[in-house]
Amino acid sequence: MPSTLSPRTDPAAARDVVPAAEDTVAFADPPTLGRRPALAADRDATPTLARRVRALVGRALRASIVLVLFLALWEVAPRVGLVDAVFLPPLSRVLDAFGTLASSGELALHLGASLSRAGTGFAIAVLAAIPLGVAIGWYERVSDVLNPFLELFRNTAALALLPVFILILGIGETSKIALVVYACTFPVLLTTISAVRSVDPLLVKSARSLGLSSLRLFQKVVLPAAVPTVFTGVRMAGASSILVLIAAEMVGAKAGLGYLITYTQFNFQIEKMYAGIIAIALVGVSVNGVLLALERHFSRWRTASS
């Protein structure tokens, strides 16, 4: 009698049944198909050198387009009569005058005089303001004593005190450096006070619980946490040192970029006057770039922790 068992019910027959080809493909395809999009996505996610170059070029173009348009307008406006070329020469003539000043050594002389004054005053202000700001921000009694004095002079413009500095210290180098010190002190001092007071109290308590001394607490917790805010004030002070000094050199000096601008204006050397202004702008940009690099160097721990 023939067997009526089907492969589904007969175990022996079920072992002899060979799976269909499409069943094998059905089981083999999903893992293969699942891997291919992942590999393609990985390749797409990896930035190529060409993409990086295009991104850098695009960022540079966006950052410089306004400056390029301004310089082009400066060159074209006097030539087409939009402004009087006597009082605003074309940019090309100003650059020629800049090259003449640089090649003759006159620009280096005035630049060196201004940088030495600004650098000296800036360094004195930073070295004095940061420790004082830490003391005021950390110790309440020191803050109570010095706060009225700070509130009085923080709102007094440095240039308003220029006649006072000249009367007391004379018209020489001392009065100019003292004016720069005054102008640079308050941005650094106030930002340092704010930075110290804004340190996370939980960090301070944790450091104290570990048995750190006051000196180690400042070194390991307070100062690293305050560095970014302090450098904001340092950068502001760097800009103030240049601006205030230029104004002081216009009043009484025999060398310096401020003196160069005033001298060329009085002698109607307009191209050289604008060349001096360009030199001041380049100095300001360079100082800000150096301070930004220092800020990144001393704030590397923030990038590493993030």
Side-chain angles (χ1 to χ4, degrees):
M1 180 177 180
S3 175
T4 58
L5 295 176
S6 65
R8 294 180 181 272
T9 58
D10 188 357
R15 286 195 300 269
D16 296 335
V17 175
V18 178
E22 59 268 21
D23 294 336
T24 305
V25 174
F27 283 103
D29 281 347
T32 305
L33 294 175
R35 285 194 299 268
R36 288 174 182 171
L39 293 174
D42 292 340
R43 287 195 299 268
D44 293 339
T46 304
T48 62
L49 179 60
R51 289 180 182 176
R52 292 180 179 179
V53 172
R54 286 197 298 268
L56 290 175
V57 172
R59 192 179 301 114
L61 289 176
R62 289 192 299 270
S64 60
I65 185 170
V66 176
L67 178 61
V68 171
L69 290 176
F70 170 74
L71 296 178
L73 180 63
W74 187 354
E75 177 67 27
V76 172
R79 295 188 181 278
V80 300
L82 293 178
V83 294
D84 193 341
V86 175
F87 302 109
L88 182 63
L91 178 62
S92 57
R93 288 166 51 186
V94 174
L95 294 179
D96 289 340
F98 188 92
T100 302
L101 288 173
S103 60
S104 65
E106 187 177 358
L107 181 61
L109 173 66
H110 295 296
L111 181 62
S114 293
L115 289 180
S116 63
R117 295 165 183 155
T120 303
F122 174 77
I124 294 174
V126 170
L127 293 177
I130 291 180
L132 183 60
V134 170
I136 295 174
W138 192 256
Y139 298 104
E140 187 175 355
R141 292 183 179 179
V142 178
S143 176
D144 293 338
V145 172
L146 295 180
N147 191 60
F149 177 82
L150 296 180
E151 292 297 329
L152 175 63
F153 283 97
R154 64 180 292 187
N155 297 313
T156 304
L159 293 178
L161 297 177
L162 177 59
V164 178
F165 283 105
I166 292 177
L167 287 174
I168 296 176
L169 302 175
I171 203 170
E173 299 295 312
T174 306
S175 60
K176 297 176 181 58
I177 294 176
L179 186 67
V180 173
V181 172
Y182 178 86
C184 295
T185 296
F186 285 97
V188 180
L189 180 62
L190 297 177
T191 53
T192 302
I193 294 172
S194 176
V196 172
R197 289 177 177 174
S198 61
V199 174
D200 190 353
L202 183 59
L203 293 177
V204 177
K205 291 181 180 179
S206 300
R208 291 189 186 279
S209 66
L210 294 175
L212 291 182
S213 62
S214 298
L215 180 60
R216 298 289 290 176
L217 178 64
F218 276 110
Q219 181 183 1
K220 296 297 183 180
V221 178
V222 177
L223 292 182
V227 160
T229 306
V230 171
F231 260 97
T232 301
V234 171
R235 289 169 55 195
M236 294 170 58
S240 298
S241 67
I242 301 297
L243 298 177
V244 172
L245 177 64
I246 297 304
E249 289 176 343
M250 290 180 176
V251 175
K254 295 299 181 182
L257 294 177
Y259 168 77
L260 173 64
I261 293 174
T262 304
Y263 177 82
T264 52
Q265 178 197 10
F266 287 159
N267 290 275
F268 214 71
Q269 299 174 355
I270 304 301
E271 291 87 355
K272 291 185 177 181
M273 182 191 74
Y274 282 105
I277 295 173
I278 291 177
I280 293 172
L282 294 177
V283 169
V285 172
S286 301
V287 169
N288 187 67
V290 171
L291 294 177
L292 274 176
L294 289 175
E295 180 181 357
R296 294 191 187 101
H297 174 74
F298 288 107
S299 302
R300 288 177 300 178
W301 63 272
R302 300 184 70 196
T303 305
S305 62
S306 60

